[in-house]
């Protein structure tokens, strides 16, 4: 959705028109703005879209896109794009982006994980945010607007993602003064080192070999690969083997085997998580505390090169989105608000504690939230979430009373059941039966084939009608 051309086009229009009307007139027409995006690919898509919109309107506005590395996006360009690409930033002409943006020719700077900290541009009076911000990141990003300039007394933030309450809470934490709840114990790095060593997934020789190559200025990349690849390959094979064991055990209804395989998968996921935590803690604490231990430093180098190779744990379960298309999109104006950071709460900042004590979290059961979200897309905004959830529940209960559906669910696959004419007929009957209790929703459902098809998908998806019908069929068989 974030990369869908319609979504980007609508936001681009809002950004450009808001900038022209509210921001550009500031500082005698010299005011600039920044657009903060969630990924480099978004920055590329936005840059091309915003340039196209500006050209179609004949506006005299200049834009720049800033990001690190290169972006491969076949829908935008046949060749990988960088900041210096003429197809993306034709007006850059070899200059540094900071220098170019300071000139009068450029007005909007699109950034992705760049210039959100340490960027000083006094003419910056507007910011457009289309990525999730929280805590210190929110403060650092929005504070790009705080650079003083003669006559600068107004700044604007237009946020597509974050709520004003979230941003206000982030600023209040650091407003006036910020205090720590306690002191960070530097020994947490040593404790985490001991835990990782005890896992048995690597030995001292492997750590020493990688560290020696990483510290050798004459070493080649091939030497590093030869040293670290066997460790990564061993861990990846263990993860894949555990996945296969779990799948076999699940297919054979071997609960114990599936549980043991899952425990091994969780242990490997936690190993990677602990390595990342070790790197973060050591990077911070080593600046203020001398560990006087080369073994700790060696492990930092070892984990630094090993973690990027451990790509396990990215598999997703559940909904297949490969065939999903964006059918409609809406942006709602939540209004303009001045955020007052005074009256700061007394929440104190927590020190680092309990590192490496995490556990793999089970996926949250979110069927009700999924039902509400999907039905929200089917119906207008005139009904509450409670009404919509109640409506789906009513339809489901009424369809559970159908003996024909019980029989079909018991004797057909879910795909076959989905194509049943009886299912469509019984859904229509349920909508009519529910009309009195849910007149507004039923009217929309009766008037729209699209809504009825969407309801059928919800009933067979998160509402689990098919599973409930089969359960009822099994219960009736047992009672018989």
């Amino acid at each position: 959705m974030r990369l869908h051309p319609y979504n980007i086009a609508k936001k681009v229009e809002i950004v450009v028109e808001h900038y022209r009307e509210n921001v550009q007139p500031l500082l005698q027409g010299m005011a600039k703005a920044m657009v903060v995006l969630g990924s480099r690919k978004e920055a590329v898509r936005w840059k091309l879209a915003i340039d196209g919109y500006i050209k179609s309107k004949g506006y005299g506005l200049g834009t720049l896109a800033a990001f690190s590395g290169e972006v491969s996006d076949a829908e935008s360009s046949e060749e990988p794009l960088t900041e210096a690409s003429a197809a993306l930033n034709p007006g850059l002409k070899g200059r540094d982006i900071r220098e170019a943006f300071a000139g009068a020719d450029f007005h909007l700077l699109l950034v992705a994980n760049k210039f959100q900290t340490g960027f000083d541009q006094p003419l910056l009076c507007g910011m457009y945010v289309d990525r999730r911000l929280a805590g210190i990141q929110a403060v650092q990003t929005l504070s790009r607007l705080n650079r003083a300039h003669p006559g600068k007394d107004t700044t604007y933030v237009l946020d597509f993602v974050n709520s004003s309450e979230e941003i206000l809470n982030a600023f209040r934490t650091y407003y006036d003064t910020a205090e720590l709840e306690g002191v960070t114990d530097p020994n947490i790095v040593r404790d985490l080192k001991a835990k990782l060593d005890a896992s048995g997934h690597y030995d001292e020789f492997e750590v020493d070999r990688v560290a020696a190559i990483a510290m050798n200025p004459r070493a080649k990349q091939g030497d590093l690969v030869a040293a670290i690849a066997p460790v990564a390959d061993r861990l990846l094979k263990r993860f894949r083997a555990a996945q296969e064991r779990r799948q076999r055990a699940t297919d054979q209804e071997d609960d114990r085997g599936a549980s043991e395989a899952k425990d091994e998968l969780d242990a490997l996921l936690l190993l990677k998580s602990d390595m990342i935590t070790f790197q973060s803690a050591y990077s911070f604490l080593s600046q203020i505390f001398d560990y006087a231990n080369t073994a700790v430093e060696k492990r930092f180098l070892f984990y630094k090169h090993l973690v990027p190779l451990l790509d396990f744990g990215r598999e997703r379960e559940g909904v297949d989105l490969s065939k999903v298309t964006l059918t409609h999109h809406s942006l709602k104006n939540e209004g303009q608000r001045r955020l007052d950071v005074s009256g700061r709460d007394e929440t104190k900042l927590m020190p680092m504690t309990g590192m490496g004590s995490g556990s793999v979290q089970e996926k949250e059961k979110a069927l009700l939230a999924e039902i509400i979200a999907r039905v929200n897309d089917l119906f207008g905004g005139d009904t509450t979430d409670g009404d919509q959830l109640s409506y789906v529940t009513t339809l489901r209960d009424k369809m559970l009373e159908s003996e024909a559906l019980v029989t079909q669910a018991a004797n057909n696959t879910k795909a076959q059941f989905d194509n049943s004419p009886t299912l469509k007929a019984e859904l229509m009957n349920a909508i009519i039966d529910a009309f009195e209790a849910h007149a507004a929703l039923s009217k929309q459902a009766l008037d729209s084939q699209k809504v009825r098809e969407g309801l059928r998908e919800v009933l067979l998806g998160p509402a689990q009608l098919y599973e409930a019908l089969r359960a009822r069929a099994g219960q009736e068989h047992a009672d018989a």
Side-chain angles (χ1 to χ4, degrees):
M1 186 204 72
R2 295 183 60 81
L3 292 172
H4 195 283
Y6 181 76
N7 178 31
I8 294 177
K10 295 300 292 183
K11 291 179 179 178
V12 160
E13 179 182 357
I14 291 172
V15 167
V16 173
E17 298 302 336
H18 182 276
Y19 170 78
R20 294 183 69 250
E21 181 178 349
N22 299 282
V23 180
Q24 190 177 18
L26 302 174
L27 305 183
Q28 298 180 336
M30 297 188 299
K32 300 177 181 290
M34 177 184 286
V35 183
V36 182
L37 302 167
S39 70
R40 297 181 303 165
K41 185 175 289 188
E42 287 179 48
V44 169
R45 299 275 184 95
W46 268 71
K47 178 63 167 63
L48 298 177
I50 206 167
D51 285 350
Y53 180 81
I54 289 172
K55 183 178 180 180
S56 69
K57 294 292 185 178
Y59 298 152
L61 300 177
T63 68
L64 289 169
F67 55 85
S68 302
E70 64 179 27
V71 176
S72 297
D73 182 21
E75 294 189 23
S76 302
S77 171
E78 295 181 358
E79 300 294 331
L81 296 171
T82 67
E83 285 182 352
S85 297
L88 196 65
N89 288 325
L92 196 56
K93 299 177 181 178
R95 291 177 293 173
D96 179 78
I97 282 204
R98 295 171 187 261
E99 174 191 346
F101 187 59
D105 295 336
F106 295 103
H107 307 82
L108 293 162
L109 176 64
L110 288 73
V111 303
N113 295 318
K114 192 171 184 179
F115 295 153
Q116 290 179 231
T117 62
F119 178 65
D120 295 323
Q121 175 46 259
L123 297 178
L124 206 61
C125 294
M127 184 170 289
Y128 302 93
V129 181
D130 195 30
R131 69 167 299 172
R132 176 65 65 182
L133 298 175
I136 187 64
Q137 185 189 44
V139 175
Q140 290 176 328
T141 299
L142 299 184
S143 292
R144 298 310 96 207
L145 296 172
N146 288 350
R147 302 306 183 258
H149 188 276
K152 182 177 178 179
D153 58 6
T154 302
T155 58
Y156 286 97
V157 177
L158 193 155
D159 198 320
F160 291 104
V161 179
N162 308 280
S163 71
S164 55
E165 288 75 17
E166 291 171 332
I167 298 299
L168 190 57
N169 289 335
F171 270 86
R172 279 179 173 167
T173 302
Y174 301 95
Y175 181 71
D176 188 27
T177 183
E179 299 180 30
L180 281 171
E181 178 72 24
V183 178
T184 297
D185 182 3
N187 287 318
I188 59 177
V189 171
R190 293 195 179 99
D191 294 341
L192 193 50
K193 168 187 171 295
K195 177 187 176 183
L196 288 165
D197 288 350
S199 69
H201 290 295
Y202 57 83
D203 58 35
E204 196 74 27
F205 171 77
E206 291 170 326
V207 173
D208 289 343
R209 182 169 61 172
V210 171
I213 294 173
M215 295 296 293
N216 183 0
R218 296 183 178 180
K220 300 178 181 178
Q221 181 66 22
D223 298 331
L224 183 60
V225 171
I228 198 68
V231 184
D233 185 59
R234 184 170 65 242
L235 290 170
L236 290 170
K237 286 180 178 178
R238 287 180 181 177
F239 190 86
R240 284 193 290 269
Q243 281 183 314
E244 293 171 359
R245 287 200 307 275
R246 184 185 183 189
Q247 186 60 53
R248 286 196 302 270
T250 300
D251 294 341
Q252 297 169 5
E253 298 184 355
D254 179 6
D255 294 340
R256 180 177 179 181
S259 177
E260 290 175 353
K262 182 179 182 301
D263 289 342
E264 184 170 354
L265 292 172
D266 290 347
L268 289 168
L269 290 172
L270 284 175
L271 175 74
K272 179 179 178 180
S273 175
D274 287 344
M275 288 180 184
I276 296 172
T277 302
F278 181 95
Q279 293 178 76
S280 176
Y282 181 76
S283 296
F284 172 67
L285 292 172
S286 62
Q287 299 180 55
I288 55 178
F289 182 79
D290 182 8
Y291 284 94
N293 187 334
T294 57
V296 175
E297 172 72 15
K298 287 178 180 178
R299 276 154 182 77
F300 172 77
L301 295 172
F302 180 68
Y303 302 150
K304 176 182 178 181
H305 294 288
L306 177 59
V307 166
L309 302 179
L310 303 180
D311 59 354
F312 49 61
R314 296 182 181 178
E315 299 78 7
R316 291 183 177 271
E317 300 176 359
V319 181
D320 178 12
L321 299 177
S322 61
K323 296 182 180 179
V324 173
T325 58
L326 184 67
T327 59
H328 54 282
H329 179 273
S330 65
L331 291 173
K332 298 180 180 178
N333 187 344
E334 300 291 345
Q336 186 171 323
R337 179 178 175 187
R338 290 184 177 274
L339 304 185
D340 182 8
V341 295
S342 61
R344 178 180 64 91
D345 57 21
E346 296 300 320
T347 301
K348 297 183 178 181
L349 306 180
M350 296 298 295
M352 294 182 183
T353 58
M355 307 191 84
S357 59
S359 61
V360 175
Q361 301 296 317
E362 291 293 337
K363 294 185 184 298
E364 182 181 353
K365 303 299 183 183
L367 292 177
L368 294 183
E370 185 180 350
I371 290 173
I372 291 172
R374 292 177 64 174
V375 176
N376 264 330
D377 290 337
L378 296 175
F379 296 103
D382 297 332
T383 55
T384 67
D385 289 349
D387 290 337
Q388 295 170 3
L389 181 58
S390 174
Y391 185 57
V392 172
T393 303
T394 299
L395 295 180
R396 179 178 180 273
D397 291 343
K398 289 185 177 298
M399 296 174 75
L400 277 172
E401 297 172 1
S402 170
E403 296 296 337
L405 290 183
V406 171
T407 301
Q408 290 187 7
N411 296 288
N412 292 276
T413 66
K414 192 169 186 178
Q416 292 170 331
F417 183 74
D418 184 19
N419 293 318
S420 166
T422 306
L423 174 62
K424 297 177 182 178
E426 290 293 347
L427 174 57
M428 183 65 78
N429 292 336
I431 291 172
I432 294 173
D433 291 343
F435 195 90
E436 183 176 350
H438 303 276
L441 295 171
S442 292
K443 187 177 187 307
Q444 290 188 55
L446 288 172
D447 292 342
S448 172
Q449 175 70 23
K450 179 180 176 181
V451 170
R452 291 197 298 274
E453 291 176 355
L455 284 171
R456 189 179 77 250
E457 292 176 3
V458 173
L459 286 164
L460 293 182
Q464 299 185 332
L465 171 65
Y466 175 77
E467 289 78 6
L469 286 166
R470 286 184 65 88
R472 183 185 160 191
Q475 183 62 45
E476 291 179 354
H477 179 74
D479 293 342

